[in-house]
Amino acid sequence: MVIIPPHIENLAPYKPGKPGANMFEDAKPEREVVLSSNENNFGPSPKAMEALKRSLNNMNLYPDPTASLLKERLSHLLDIPVSHLLMSNGSDAILYTMFRAFLSGDDSMLTSHAAFVSAKVMARMNNIRCVEVAMTGDHEFDLDGIITNIDDTTKLIYLVNPNNPTGQMMTRTAMDSFLSRVPQHILVVVDEAYCEFARALSGEYPDCTRLGYNNVIVLRTFSKAYGLAGLRLGYAIGPEYLIQALTKVKLTFDPNLAAQAAGLAALDDTTFLDKTIENNTTELQKLNQAYDRLGLKVIPSVANFITIKLKNEAEVENYYHQLLSRGVLTRRLASFGLPYCLRISIGKPDENDYMLRMLEEVMDQ
C-alpha cells in the first residue's frame, strides 16, 4: 500500500459554496436564486460568449502557453510591462504555484483569521506552516498584529483586499504603511479579486501595483466582475524577477484556449463591465438599507456580497436551510472561521428582491 504523507492524509480540502448539482435538494421553490459564491449573475459578456463560440473551432490546438495576446491587452489597459504579468487558471492556480516557487523547508506563511481559505489549504497541502492572526473587532485585517508575528521563518504574507468573506478593505494609507514595514525578503501577496467593485465603492481603495514595492505580487481574476468563473482565468502582477520564477513552475498550457479567447473579448466589453459594477453599487446600497430596516447586523462590504452576523451557528443553520427551502442559496461561513455569519452575494435586482422577500418570511416565523 502506498503511504500517504501525514500532511496530505490530514488535509481538509476547500469546501465550495454549492453543495452539488441538486443544490436545492427536494425543495420545489417558487424560483431558484443562487447567491452563494459571489458570481456574476448577469453571466459572461456577450462579446466573451461570441469569442468563446469561435474558439470551439480550434479545440484541437494547444493554447498559447504565454497567453501573449491577453497579456499585451492587459499591459495596455493597466499600463504595466508585459514582463510583469502572468496568466493562469484562476488566481488560485497562481497561489498554488507560489508555494512551489518561493517556499520550502521550514518557511511559513502569515495571514489573517477569516481570510479567504484557499491559501491556507494550499499551505497545508505543501506542508508549510500557516500562522493566522486574529482580526480586529471590526472584522478587519490586524496589520500591526501581522507585523508583530513576523519571525525568521516568515516567507509569505497573504492579504485579501477587500477580504472574502468579510468584505472589509484596507485603505491606501494603511496598505502603504504596512508594506513599508515588511522586510524586503518576505513576499507579500495581495489578492484583489473584488477590486473592480471596491474601486467604485471607495475612493480610498488602493491599487497595490502602483505602490512601488519590489516584494509584492497582486492577484486579480476574471471570475467576478467579468463573469468567467467557469473558465478559470486569473493573473498576477508583480516585479519581473518574481513573475519569471512563477513562470518556471506553472503548468505549461494554462490558461486554456477558450479562457484566453473569452478573456480577451471580455476586456473589450466595457459596457458589460460598467453594467455589472453599477448594478453592484446600487444593489449593495439597497440591500444595506433593507438589512438595517430588518434589524440585521452586517459587516460593511466593498465587494459583491454582504455578510450578516447572527447570534450563533444554530441560527445560521436555521436561516440557511429556511432560505434554501424557499429557493435561495446562501453561504455558511464556519469553514472560514466565522460560524455565526451568513454571506449573501449580490445578484440581479429581481433576485435580490426575491431573496429579501424570502428573508422576511424566515424572520417572521
Side-chain angles (χ1 to χ4, degrees):
M1 178 181 289
V2 175
I3 303 300
I4 307 299
H7 69 282
I8 299 297
E9 186 72 33
N10 300 323
L11 184 66
Y14 173 71
K15 296 179 180 179
K18 296 177 185 176
N22 187 22
M23 63 185 70
F24 292 98
E25 300 169 345
D26 296 325
K28 293 181 172 56
E30 177 183 333
R31 65 177 297 185
E32 297 179 355
V33 175
V34 178
L35 302 174
S36 57
S37 296
N38 306 335
E39 295 151 330
N40 186 340
N41 283 7
F42 284 116
S45 146
K47 290 186 178 180
M49 286 298 294
E50 286 302 316
L52 181 59
K53 291 174 184 175
R54 291 193 298 270
S55 75
L56 297 178
N57 295 320
N58 298 317
M59 287 298 108
N60 59 310
L61 305 176
Y62 285 108
D64 173 5
T66 65
S68 56
L69 292 178
L70 196 47
K71 286 198 296 187
E72 286 169 10
R73 184 73 179 119
L74 277 170
S75 172
H76 175 74
L77 286 173
L78 303 174
D79 191 25
I80 289 171
V82 170
S83 59
H84 290 219
L85 290 164
L86 176 79
M87 308 303 303
S88 192
N89 288 344
S91 53
D92 54 349
I94 300 173
L95 270 173
Y96 185 86
T97 62
M98 284 184 183
F99 286 94
R100 302 277 183 177
F102 303 122
L103 288 86
S104 63
D106 295 328
D107 291 342
S108 67
M109 179 184 90
L110 257 177
T111 189
S112 173
H113 175 74
F116 184 54
V117 298
S118 184
K120 302 174 189 180
V121 172
M122 291 179 191
R124 292 190 288 271
M125 189 186 306
N126 287 277
N127 208 19
I128 296 295
R129 184 168 63 95
C130 178
V131 179
E132 298 183 38
V133 177
M135 283 193 157
T136 68
D138 295 327
H139 297 87
E140 296 178 339
F141 275 73
D142 182 356
L143 296 177
D144 292 334
I146 291 176
I147 292 292
T148 301
N149 277 274
I150 291 174
D151 63 24
D152 291 342
T153 71
T154 306
K155 188 64 178 291
L156 185 151
I157 297 173
Y158 177 65
L159 306 177
V160 193
N161 198 33
N163 184 46
N164 175 24
T166 61
Q168 293 276 53
M169 76 168 201
M170 290 159 270
T171 65
R172 178 188 174 92
T173 300
M175 185 68 78
D176 201 12
S177 173
F178 172 78
L179 293 175
S180 69
R181 291 180 288 162
V182 176
Q184 286 294 296
H185 69 276
I186 296 174
L187 174 64
V188 180
V189 179
V190 184
D191 193 331
E192 295 185 356
Y194 302 91
C195 64
E196 293 88 357
F197 305 117
R199 279 198 295 261
L201 289 162
S202 175
E204 297 181 358
Y205 182 73
D207 179 350
C208 287
T209 67
R210 303 295 179 191
L211 297 183
Y213 292 92
N214 203 38
N215 61 328
V216 175
I217 289 179
V218 173
L219 302 181
R220 292 183 182 165
T221 183
F222 285 76
S223 294
K224 309 303 180 183
Y226 291 100
L228 296 178
L231 282 177
R232 311 308 304 125
L233 182 63
Y235 59 102
I237 307 168
E240 185 174 356
Y241 81 102
L242 294 177
I243 296 299
Q244 285 180 344
L246 287 172
T247 302
K248 292 177 182 179
V249 297
K250 92 170 188 73
L251 293 175
T252 303
F253 290 112
D254 75 3
N256 66 69
L257 189 149
Q260 290 187 40
L264 192 61
L267 290 175
D268 288 332
D269 197 344
T270 56
T271 300
F272 175 83
L273 181 62
D274 290 344
K275 179 183 77 170
T276 293
I277 294 171
E278 182 181 358
N279 176 77
N280 191 73
T281 300
T282 303
E283 292 297 297
L284 182 78
Q285 181 181 14
K286 180 181 83 176
L287 290 170
N288 274 324
Q289 291 171 348
Y291 293 148
D292 184 60
R293 174 176 55 81
L294 293 171
L296 292 166
K297 295 180 180 178
V298 304
I299 301 174
S301 173
V302 292
N304 68 337
F305 58 85
I306 298 174
T307 292
I308 297 172
K309 296 193 291 183
L310 298 170
K311 293 178 183 177
N312 50 45
E313 190 168 1
E315 190 171 44
V316 169
E317 288 294 315
N318 179 58
Y319 272 66
Y320 172 82
H321 287 289
Q322 290 292 335
L323 287 169
L324 186 68
S325 69
R326 290 166 170 81
V328 179
L329 184 64
T330 60
R331 183 68 187 269
R332 297 165 290 184
L333 299 180
S335 63
F336 286 79
L338 297 171
Y340 55 90
C341 289
L342 186 72
R343 191 189 69 196
I344 305 179
S345 305
I346 296 170
K348 295 182 288 188
D350 64 303
E351 294 173 326
N352 298 327
D353 291 341
Y354 179 77
M355 179 275 294
L356 286 172
R357 183 157 61 88
M358 296 301 102
L359 181 61
E360 290 191 57
E361 277 190 15
V362 173
M363 296 183 71
D364 285 342
Q365 285 190 339

